[in-house]
Amino acid sequence: MALSEELRSACEALGRTLAASKPVREYLEVQARLEADPEARSLEEEFQTLYQDLLARQQAGEELPREDVDRFYRLRNRLESHPLIVERDLALGELKQYFADVAFQLSALLGADYTALARRD
């Protein structure tokens, strides 16, 4: 679908505005710090690997040993209390709310539900 030059310019301006917004900048900054922290990255990777393994085993009908379940909860507790991960998750929550507010404002300006328009095939 070809966009008019006016629409393309408006979309690019919106993108620049979003990229420069405080919620986007804060999320990207904390995500970069998290990715640069070997401990935090390792903790997230270990958690995701264990979670996927346990999920697959459970979906295959295997009864999970108590030790594996306990390990999962211990790891999740460490993950949920890691300062960078907590900070990133808070920033992500704020970012999601910001994007929801932007979508609401776009819908009001367009006189139509922006999110429904964006989902059209």
Side-chain angles (χ1 to χ4, degrees):
M1 173 174 134
L3 299 178
S4 71
E5 189 56 40
E6 181 181 13
L7 183 54
R8 181 180 308 282
S9 293
C11 291
E12 289 172 355
L14 175 60
R16 285 189 302 273
T17 300
L18 291 174
S21 70
K22 182 178 177 186
V24 170
R25 284 184 292 111
E26 287 180 350
Y27 172 76
L28 292 174
E29 288 169 9
V30 72
Q31 181 64 29
R33 288 198 325 270
L34 191 148
E35 289 174 8
D37 184 289
E39 178 190 354
R41 267 196 356 263
S42 174
L43 189 58
E44 277 201 315
E45 289 169 9
E46 182 181 358
F47 177 79
Q48 283 303 317
T49 300
L50 178 60
Y51 173 76
Q52 293 302 321
D53 175 61
L54 294 177
L55 182 63
R57 289 167 51 196
Q58 187 177 43
Q59 288 175 341
E62 181 180 335
E63 188 167 327
L64 301 175
R66 183 81 226 155
E67 309 84 58
D68 291 349
V69 174
D70 288 345
R71 180 174 167 236
F72 170 82
Y73 285 117
R74 281 192 310 274
L75 191 54
R76 188 184 71 178
N77 288 339
R78 285 180 50 214
L79 185 79
E80 291 176 345
S81 63
H82 191 286
L84 279 174
I85 294 170
V86 169
E87 187 179 357
R88 189 270 319 271
D89 289 348
L90 289 172
L92 180 58
E94 290 176 18
L95 181 61
K96 287 179 180 181
Q97 183 58 53
Y98 175 69
F99 283 155
D101 293 343
V102 169
F104 178 79
Q105 291 173 14
L106 282 173
S107 295
L109 289 170
L110 294 171
D113 182 359
Y114 164 76
T115 55
L117 292 173
R119 290 190 193 123
R120 289 181 111 168
D121 294 311

